[in-house]
Amino acid sequence: MRPLDGFTIGVTAARRAEELGALLERRGAQVMHAPALRIVPLPDDTELLAVTRALIGHAPDVVVATTAIGFRGWIEAAEGWGLGEALLDRLTGVELLARGPKVRGAIRAAGLTEKWSPASESMAEVLDRLLAEGVSGRRVAVQLHGEPLPGFVEALRAGGAEVIGIPVYRWMPPEDLGPVDRLLDAVIGGGLDAVTFTSAPAAASLLRRAGERGIREEVLAALRQGVLAVCVGPVTALPLEAEEVPTLQPERFRLGPLVQLLCRELPGRARPLPVAGRQLEIRGHAVVVDGALRPVPPAGMALLRALARRPGWVVSRAELLRVLPGSGRDEHAVETAMARLRVALGAPKLIQTVVKRGYRLSLDPHTDTDKYGAA
């Protein structure tokens, strides 16, 4: 058993999506890829060219570098425009701040030296340092995360700084919206156990697309209740938390710790049930019976979840029919789906037929049913 066996996880990343997907699949997850954004190639970005020329012509006092890929791309784009040497000369004479170790590495690879980098890798700590030093009358150039950094730029301007945004890469909606729409449908339909976010623009873009389709409230409701929203860090989580969506974030803002967090959280949400002398654990699209993973079709999972909401209690065929996808009004569909569910579980005695009443999970005697009644 791998920690993510039986779970389905959405990946919204535009870059490093393959790396994240591979990490999740290696631990057993089924992955739904749906890049919520695409990145405009840097050499084609006329806005970045204009800002680069302006900074070379009028030096800033401080430059805040926020991402390694963005900083490297900026230098490479400047070299392509014939401005590389002039930009490096200008950056040599300014106070250069690096948000974290990856950005610090990119700065040093360019032959530059950062003045300071926060141990927390937090933009909040960078902001605190700048405000403590005093920014009134100073020119501060800030590398943007594809969108203005919420609160960061405003706080600097409130402190009297002139802030120049460096749009080192610009996020745009994906050219093919099909994967995003399928992910949104899966969020609403219960086909996902978690969705991962590695940038704030991706989270904002996903919600924007949900609004365009008229399903924003349904998506938010699902993310607030059943579908886990996991963000690589607090900045990424801001668009979701602004909509009162609870998020989880690893202590270190990296893909590896994000995957480790999922490996702890998702299995922890699948509570074991003592049924007919066996241990039954319901996961996203599969069931674990005595430590063995048993794939179950969607109809069977719907029935099993309905039975597990009150384990040991009888659930009528009429009630089970209501949760069965696409079943219409024929209760015979419940019997057919139940038969297939028992085969999939490999242990028919886990579910008991109560004549003329319905079905129940064969919860072991002397089990405290209140403990399991909140599924």
Side-chain angles (χ1 to χ4, degrees):
M1 278 289 297
R2 296 169 295 181
L4 297 178
D5 275 332
F7 295 110
T8 305
I9 299 172
V11 171
T12 62
R15 58 185 178 90
R16 301 184 69 188
E18 291 185 4
E19 179 184 349
L20 177 55
L23 289 171
L24 293 169
E25 289 173 348
R26 201 174 302 148
R27 288 155 179 82
Q30 286 190 10
V31 176
M32 179 178 288
H33 288 278
L37 299 164
R38 59 186 171 93
I39 301 174
V40 174
L42 288 168
D44 297 336
D45 199 323
T46 55
E47 185 178 347
L48 176 61
L49 173 58
V51 169
T52 302
R53 285 174 170 161
L55 291 176
I56 292 172
H58 184 186
D61 299 294
V62 181
V63 172
V64 180
T66 58
T67 66
I69 185 175
F71 189 83
R72 285 195 302 268
W74 185 25
I75 301 301
E76 290 169 3
E79 289 174 350
W81 297 322
L83 301 173
E85 185 175 345
L87 178 60
L88 291 175
D89 286 345
R90 182 59 79 195
L91 293 178
T92 301
V94 306
E95 180 180 339
L96 192 53
L97 306 183
R99 183 179 64 88
K102 288 189 176 182
V103 193
R104 190 167 63 238
I107 289 171
R108 294 179 182 180
L112 302 168
T113 304
E114 80 289 348
K115 180 175 182 180
W116 177 80
S117 180
S120 66
E121 305 178 39
S122 165
M123 289 299 288
E125 191 174 346
V126 175
L127 179 62
D128 289 343
R129 176 186 173 92
L130 287 170
L131 294 178
E133 289 179 346
V135 295
S136 180
R138 305 183 78 194
R139 299 185 81 228
V140 181
V142 181
Q143 175 195 324
L144 304 178
H145 286 282
E147 287 186 350
L149 294 166
F152 189 90
V153 171
E154 290 85 348
L156 290 176
R157 285 177 175 152
E162 178 189 354
V163 181
I164 303 97
I166 306 171
V168 290
Y169 46 84
R170 188 181 305 164
W171 302 109
M172 300 290 286
E175 293 180 344
D176 181 7
L177 290 169
V180 174
D181 288 344
R182 287 191 288 273
L183 183 139
L184 290 170
D185 291 339
V187 168
I188 295 173
L192 287 178
D193 299 290
V195 182
T196 61
F197 298 93
T198 57
S199 73
S205 177
L206 191 73
L207 296 181
R208 188 180 306 117
R209 178 58 182 166
E212 291 170 355
R213 293 185 57 198
I215 57 173
R216 183 184 178 92
E217 290 307 315
E218 292 91 331
V219 169
L220 289 173
L223 292 173
R224 289 169 186 151
Q225 297 172 6
V227 182
L228 198 62
V230 182
C231 301
V232 77
V235 172
T236 298
L238 286 174
L240 296 166
E241 294 184 345
E243 298 292 342
E244 299 181 350
V245 172
T247 65
L248 290 178
Q249 302 148 32
E251 291 184 4
R252 294 177 59 246
F253 311 147
R254 297 285 185 273
L255 295 187
L258 181 147
V259 172
Q260 292 167 9
L261 177 62
L262 281 163
C263 289
R264 293 193 304 270
E265 289 294 328
L266 285 178
R269 288 157 60 107
R271 59 200 176 89
L273 291 170
V275 180
R278 298 171 179 263
Q279 284 292 311
L280 182 73
E281 181 182 306
I282 301 174
R283 295 194 169 194
H285 60 262
V287 178
V288 180
V289 181
D290 288 345
L293 190 72
R294 309 285 303 193
V296 175
M301 289 301 301
L303 295 180
L304 191 57
R305 291 186 188 281
L307 295 173
R309 289 191 186 99
R310 294 295 290 172
W313 290 40
V314 178
V315 182
S316 70
R317 286 180 176 81
E319 185 175 344
L320 291 172
L321 184 62
R322 286 195 291 270
V323 303
L324 200 60
S327 60
R329 299 182 180 179
D330 186 358
E331 290 188 3
H332 179 68
V334 174
E335 297 174 8
T336 302
M338 189 63 71
R340 291 172 179 166
L341 171 59
R342 283 170 164 154
V343 171
L345 293 175
K349 293 183 179 180
L350 294 177
I351 301 173
Q352 178 185 358
T353 301
V354 182
V355 180
K356 295 184 179 181
R357 293 183 60 196
Y359 300 89
R360 63 183 288 272
L361 282 181
S362 301
L363 202 66
D364 289 344
H366 313 300
T367 299
D368 182 1
T369 55
D370 289 340
K371 177 180 178 182
Y372 302 100

